[in-house]
């Protein structure tokens, strides 16, 4: 399996070569040169496999430069109840990514039972084990630099804590994360985890990461890497749970299902697109946005118009507050028939602050073939959905999951199972839960007393040089 860049001007690479990389050298994103195919026979055999067994069968289609026995071992070590079943008790407590049926034909795929209670753990934990494996073979080390508004940073830290050869330097806006998210990150005592609380907003953190990454000499000297959502290994690990959800919601492989996905950077739903491309019988991929509706505008009218950070709203589903969707280029590459010259032209406009309109280029006529539909959800919708899911089914959902359920129900058809992806647990966004339900969010037992643990972080000014100095003093 070789991976090519969407922009067509970088040499093809194997999986291990792109594992630690971010963007391709030409600025594009990596995708398989050709999608593998899952045959009807394979689909039948896969039904009924355990999560780790299924993950191995899916991932070996994309990864052929790690020996199968090693890959299997890394997967088995990752997808265990000890890692993924922190948040549950009762009957199916030991199942990974269990499907909860709310009503006939309406399901919730629970992806948030991992260590940080957000779906990002599903891929990030595997990434931690893959990084450690490859770095130890190459006798190398890596300093991961990132910016977070909450979910990504904690997921990365819990995946990398205690890993040989890896340090994490995570920037977050001082005082801007929820109390729970802050406690999750800042209470980690592992010596390879460094929390930098920046005296600014999230965009300041992101600008510092960009400035440090653009200092190529520094980046090389200190072996700076990232784990952001464009990382291919994260996408491919997410493909697995679409299969898991499909098998759990259906009785035979003749059935088709719809998935509803609360979307920000288009990473989660990009995995759904890939699952569909390789042969999973998905009818619709329902993309839900919050007030930041750049992707809804595209799927409705073919116009992609990133908003710029000044026009990005801060909402009560903050992990979907994006100005541009960093993985979207992957889907458009497929949509335009994999013509990298077209992608170069379109993203030439995006990268210089512009927009593009595919409706006038003919390609948009094919959009229906890819199954995408979309919708938006606002704060009032979110509150109403959290309330109605609680009242009707006795289930408490978080704000992002509520966006997905709202838009999913608007686009569902009776007779086709609707699988809504649960992307976080309510405790992470407690203020909005209180506003919606006038009660405290449920707290998984494993998280008792989290906010009372001692916290460890360094306060940083909005200054890239100060961050570089901090890293240089600790990067080994
Ligand atoms: C990251 C995140 C999302 C958005 O996922 P993308 O892959 O960026 O589209 C949605 N909900 C929650 C809770 C998240 O943490």
């Amino acid at each position: 399996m070789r991976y090519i860049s969407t922009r067509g001007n970088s040499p093809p690479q194997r999986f291990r070569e792109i594992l630690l990389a971010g963007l391709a050298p030409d600025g594009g994103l990596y995708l398989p040169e050709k999608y593998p195919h899952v045959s009807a026979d394979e689909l039948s055999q896969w039904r009924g496999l355990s999560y780790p067994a299924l993950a191995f069968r899916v991932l070996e289609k994309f990864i052929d430069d790690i020996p199968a026995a090693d890959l299997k071992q890394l997967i088995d070590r990752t997808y265990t109840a000890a890692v993924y079943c922190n948040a549950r008790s009762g009957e199916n407590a030991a199942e990974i990514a269990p499907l909860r049926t709310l009503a006939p034909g309406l399901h919730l795929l629970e992806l948030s039972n991992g260590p940080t209670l957000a779906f990002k753990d599903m891929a990030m934990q595997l990434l931690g084990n893959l990084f450690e494996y490859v770095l130890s073979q190459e006798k190398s080390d890596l300093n991961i630099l990132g910016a977070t508004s909450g979910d990504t940073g904690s997921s990365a830290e819990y995946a990398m804590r205690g890993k040989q050869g890896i340090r994490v330097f995570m920037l977050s806006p001082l005082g801007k994360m929820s109390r729970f998210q802050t406690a999750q990150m800042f209470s980690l005592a592992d010596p390879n985890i460094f929390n930098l609380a920046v005296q600014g907003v999230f965009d300041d953190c992101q600008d510092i990461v960009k400035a440090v990454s653009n200092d190529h000499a520094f980046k090389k000297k200190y072996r700076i890497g990232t784990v952001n959502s464009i990382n291919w290994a994260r996408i491919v690990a997410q493909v697995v749970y679409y299969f898991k959800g499909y098998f759990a919601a259906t009785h035979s492989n003749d059935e088709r299902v719809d998935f509803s996905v609360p979307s920000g950077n288009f990473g989660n739903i990009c995995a759904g697109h890939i699952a569909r491309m390789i042969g999973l019988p998905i009818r619709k991929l329902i993309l839900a946005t919050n007030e930041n509706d750049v992707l809804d505008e595209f799927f409705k009218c073919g116009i992609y118009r990133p908003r710029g950070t000044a026009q990005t709203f801060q909402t009560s589903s903050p992990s979907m507050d994006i100005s541009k969707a960093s993985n979207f280029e992957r889907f458009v590459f497929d949509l335009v028939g994999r013509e990298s010259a077209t992608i170069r032209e379109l993203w030439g406009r995006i990268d210089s602050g512009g927009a593009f309109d595919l409706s006038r280029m003919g390609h948009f006529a094919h959009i229906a073939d890819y199954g995408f539909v979309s919708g938006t959800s606002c704060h009032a919708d979110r509150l109403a959905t959290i309330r109605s899911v609680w009242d009707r089914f006795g289930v408490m959902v978080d704000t992002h999951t509520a966006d997905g359920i709202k838009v999913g129900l608007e686009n569902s058809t009776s007779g086709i199972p609707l699988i809504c992806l649960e992307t976080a647990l309510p405790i992470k966004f407690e203020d909005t839960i209180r506003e919606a339900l006038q009660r405290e969010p449920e707290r998984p037992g494993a998280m008792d007393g989290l906010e009372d643990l001692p916290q460890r972080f360094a306060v940083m000014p909005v200054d890239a040089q100060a961050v570089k100095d901090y890293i240089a003093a600790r990067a080994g």
Side-chain angles (χ1 to χ4, degrees):
M1 166 81 53
R2 297 198 312 168
Y3 291 89
I4 54 171
S5 163
T6 49
R7 309 237 176 141
N9 285 335
S10 300
Q13 305 269 298
R14 311 270 312 262
F15 178 82
R16 284 176 67 132
E17 294 166 319
I18 66 168
L19 174 65
L20 301 173
L23 293 174
D26 62 7
L29 303 183
Y30 287 110
L31 270 179
E33 190 167 40
K34 249 185 85 198
Y35 286 121
H37 182 66
V38 180
S39 69
D41 276 353
E42 283 176 306
L43 209 55
S44 303
Q45 291 160 17
W46 292 6
R47 189 177 273 281
L49 292 182
S50 68
Y51 197 95
L54 180 62
F56 177 69
R57 300 303 303 274
V58 173
L59 292 172
E60 71 170 349
K61 293 210 171 268
F62 293 92
I63 304 172
D64 57 6
D65 55 350
I66 292 177
D70 291 1
L71 181 62
K72 186 167 181 313
Q73 210 238 329
L74 290 166
I75 289 171
D76 287 346
R77 185 138 56 85
T78 304
Y79 295 106
T80 67
V83 175
Y84 283 102
C85 302
N86 292 295
R88 309 181 76 245
S89 56
E91 224 179 307
N92 299 323
E95 198 186 332
I96 293 166
L99 189 81
R100 188 201 287 242
T101 298
L102 299 178
L106 176 61
H107 311 276
L108 202 58
L109 186 62
E110 293 188 10
L111 304 176
S112 312
N113 299 320
T116 73
L117 313 184
F119 86 98
K120 290 184 173 74
D121 294 333
M122 294 299 296
M124 203 74 90
Q125 288 285 325
L126 180 67
L127 205 64
N129 286 327
L130 281 169
F131 275 23
E132 187 180 50
Y133 171 84
V134 167
L135 288 168
S136 84
Q137 289 197 335
E138 291 170 0
K139 303 205 175 6
S140 179
D141 68 348
L142 184 71
N143 293 298
I144 293 171
L145 175 64
T148 188
S149 58
D151 287 343
T152 307
S154 56
S155 183
E157 291 186 353
Y158 281 75
M160 304 297 168
R161 63 190 293 198
K163 291 275 183 284
Q164 286 299 315
I166 301 176
R167 288 176 210 86
V168 178
F169 297 89
M170 190 58 66
L171 277 52
S172 60
L174 177 65
K176 301 275 189 324
M177 294 187 293
S178 78
R179 217 165 94 75
F180 186 86
Q181 285 177 319
T182 306
Q184 270 188 320
M185 287 178 55
F186 292 2
S187 66
L188 285 180
D190 306 77
N192 70 328
I193 302 295
F194 301 94
N195 285 302
L196 285 73
V198 175
Q199 293 165 314
V201 294
F202 173 64
D203 288 320
D204 296 321
C205 301
Q206 225 164 8
D207 288 346
I208 294 174
V209 170
K210 266 185 219 147
V212 175
S213 301
N214 285 337
D215 180 343
H216 296 289
F218 183 88
K219 193 175 170 192
K220 190 152 178 261
K221 178 164 184 207
Y222 291 104
R223 300 164 308 283
I224 302 292
T226 58
V227 289
N228 52 22
S229 81
I230 58 163
N231 181 287
W232 168 252
R234 281 182 64 184
I235 303 283
V236 76
Q238 292 171 177
V239 171
V240 177
Y241 54 69
Y242 283 85
F243 280 83
K244 157 83 208 224
Y246 172 78
F247 291 131
T250 58
H251 299 289
S252 100
N253 297 341
D254 300 329
E255 290 178 67
R256 293 201 297 167
V257 301
D258 294 341
F259 280 97
S260 180
V261 188
S263 295
N265 274 318
F266 203 80
N268 198 354
I269 203 162
C270 186
H273 164 64
I274 288 160
R276 196 173 181 276
M277 294 298 278
I278 70 176
L280 188 66
I282 298 174
R283 189 186 64 144
K284 281 193 208 162
L285 287 164
I286 303 168
L287 180 145
T289 73
N290 63 14
E291 290 87 336
N292 297 293
D293 60 355
V294 46
L295 289 169
D296 183 50
E297 181 176 23
F298 175 80
F299 284 103
K300 293 242 164 74
C301 22
I303 297 169
Y304 183 56
R305 190 172 56 91
R307 301 293 193 263
T309 47
Q311 292 108 285
T312 303
F313 303 108
Q314 287 189 18
T315 76
S316 47
S317 45
S319 299
M320 293 153 69
D321 293 348
I322 49 108
S323 50
K324 54 175 105 172
S326 53
N327 275 290
F328 187 51
E329 185 173 335
R330 288 193 158 110
F331 169 67
V332 177
F333 182 63
D334 284 342
L335 180 66
V336 301
R338 300 199 140 209
E339 287 170 7
S340 42
T342 306
I343 295 295
R344 286 199 297 277
E345 193 208 312
L346 296 176
W347 259 268
R349 287 184 232 165
I350 298 300
D351 290 343
S352 54
F356 62 72
D357 180 357
L358 283 194
S359 70
R360 292 189 275 167
M361 290 177 60
H363 300 294
F364 200 65
H366 303 291
I367 196 96
D369 300 344
Y370 292 88
F372 277 89
V373 292
S374 70
T376 68
S377 168
C378 67
H379 183 70
D381 295 327
R382 213 164 285 139
L383 296 180
T385 306
I386 291 169
R387 262 181 227 130
S388 88
V389 172
W390 177 250
D391 290 344
R392 290 165 65 197
F393 313 118
V395 173
M396 203 183 273
V397 293
D398 99 292
T399 53
H400 308 75
T401 308
D403 289 335
I405 294 173
K406 186 258 178 184
V407 176
L409 288 172
E410 283 171 349
N411 287 282
S412 70
T413 314
S414 79
I416 307 279
L418 172 64
I419 303 172
C420 299
L421 300 194
E422 178 209 72
T423 56
L425 290 190
I427 183 87
K428 297 197 89 169
F429 306 97
E430 49 199 316
D431 291 346
T432 311
I433 298 299
R434 279 189 209 109
E435 186 182 348
L437 301 177
Q438 283 83 47
R439 61 162 65 218
E440 291 300 303
E442 291 158 352
R443 173 178 288 264
M447 305 292 159
D448 275 347
L450 180 73
E451 290 91 333
D452 305 327
L453 294 174
Q455 300 193 354
R456 194 176 134 258
F457 57 97
V459 176
M460 284 279 140
V462 181
D463 176 7
Q465 189 56 48
V467 171
K468 282 188 207 171
D469 293 344
Y470 184 92
I471 294 172
R474 290 161 184 85

